Amino acid sequence: MARLTPAQRHFARKSAEIAVMKPRNGGKTDSPVPVAGEGASAYQLQLAELDTDLKALKAIQALDRKIDLKRELIEKYDPWVSGVIDGVAAGGKPVQDDIVLHMMMWALDIGDHERALSTVSYVLDHDLALPERFSRTAPTFIAEVSADNALTRLQQGEDCDLDWLGFVADATAGKDMLDPVRAKLCKAIGLALGRRAEAMEPGDSGPAGGKGAALSAALAQLKEALRLHSAIGVKKEIDRLERLAKAIPAPTE
């Protein structure tokens, strides 16, 4: 894929800013996309390119290859996404922009949390919906994909991004979501906290306390996951971590 030139990046970013700053349909009604004005043609060009890229992704069956292609393609949409977010921050109107929403989903799919941070915050802050072909709500998608990616890494013996999971839990705390999805997020956080706690020595201390406090935090998340969804599969881990917590020597005076 050819990289965008600096001029192309600047044009896309400024077009996106204009698109959210200018009234649509003569200022009479809000539209989910810029249908008139200076930003409209740039949006339609980007949307056409996205449609081509989505068809290319649909033609690929292997998940790993899909992820690799998203990593390759996502960069060319960065200027538009940044322009929309900056334009709204400067007083523009948040709108249902399929480019921003797809790039949020792609960033989550590929596990690029640095790139996803601004789009996730933008989508949740303005209660935007996913494109029509998706049945899940945006908070549900964000929580479930983040949890699934973390659980996959943990099952493979790898570390996951616990800070990201904490951000997602906080950002979606007030959002309506199916209990099994929130339970999955709690499970991922609990397992990650439990792994961190096990790596600590009994006398270790930290900002949140020692090993006992870390195990307690992990157990709280796992028990919440179990409360939300009885089939979430954490009972054995709860029992195991409770045994570890009981085995920690009591502090001496």
Side-chain angles (χ1 to χ4, degrees):
M1 182 197 75
R3 290 180 178 274
L4 296 178
T5 66
Q8 288 172 322
R9 295 179 68 86
H10 177 76
F11 175 76
R13 186 179 185 119
K14 295 307 293 184
S15 296
E17 290 180 12
I18 291 169
V20 297
M21 293 297 290
K22 294 289 185 181
R24 295 158 184 75
N25 292 343
K28 297 178 182 178
T29 61
D30 291 327
S31 170
V33 296
V35 295
E38 296 176 65
S41 59
Y43 180 81
Q44 295 302 328
L45 286 172
Q46 288 264 283
L47 203 59
E49 192 157 5
L50 176 60
D51 184 60
T52 299
D53 290 340
L54 289 173
K55 288 176 181 176
L57 285 165
K58 190 175 181 180
I60 298 172
Q61 296 188 48
L63 181 59
D64 286 348
R65 288 186 58 203
K66 284 181 184 284
I67 296 299
D68 287 342
L69 183 55
K70 286 178 181 178
R71 285 198 181 99
E72 180 183 344
L73 295 172
I74 195 170
E75 183 179 339
K76 67 181 176 180
Y77 298 101
D78 284 344
W80 181 271
V81 172
S82 297
V84 167
I85 293 173
D86 289 348
V88 171
K93 176 79 172 178
V95 294
Q96 286 294 135
D97 184 324
D98 277 4
I99 296 167
V100 174
L101 290 158
H102 274 95
M103 292 312 107
M104 180 197 75
M105 292 187 287
W106 286 12
L108 290 169
D109 286 341
I110 66 178
D112 190 339
H113 298 152
E114 183 177 354
R115 183 181 255 117
L117 181 61
S118 60
T119 49
V120 165
S121 298
Y122 174 78
V123 168
L124 292 177
D125 287 348
H126 299 292
D127 292 319
L128 301 184
L130 296 186
E132 289 183 1
R133 64 189 179 90
F134 292 92
S135 58
R136 286 181 286 183
T137 64
T140 298
F141 182 91
I142 292 162
E144 190 159 29
V145 172
S146 297
D148 283 341
N149 287 346
L151 289 170
T152 297
R153 292 184 66 86
L154 290 166
Q155 288 163 6
Q156 293 172 345
E158 301 172 1
D159 290 331
C160 68
D161 190 342
L162 186 52
D163 289 340
W164 175 257
L165 294 176
F167 162 74
V168 170
D170 290 343
T172 60
K175 306 294 185 181
D176 189 30
M177 186 185 305
L178 293 173
D179 285 347
V181 174
R182 198 173 294 282
K184 193 183 294 187
L185 181 60
C186 291
K187 177 181 179 178
I189 294 172
L191 293 179
L193 285 170
R195 177 174 293 185
R196 177 180 289 182
E198 286 188 83
M200 299 171 67
E201 295 297 330
D204 286 353
S205 61
K211 182 168 184 171
L215 286 170
S216 178
L219 283 164
Q221 290 288 334
L222 294 174
K223 289 177 180 179
E224 177 64 4
L226 184 62
R227 185 189 72 81
L228 290 167
H229 186 45
S230 60
I232 195 63
V234 296
K235 291 181 180 179
K236 290 183 178 179
E237 185 65 7
I238 289 173
D239 290 343
R240 192 179 73 82
L241 292 184
E242 285 182 335
R243 289 194 298 271
L244 287 175
K246 289 177 181 178
I248 296 175
T252 57
E253 293 295 336

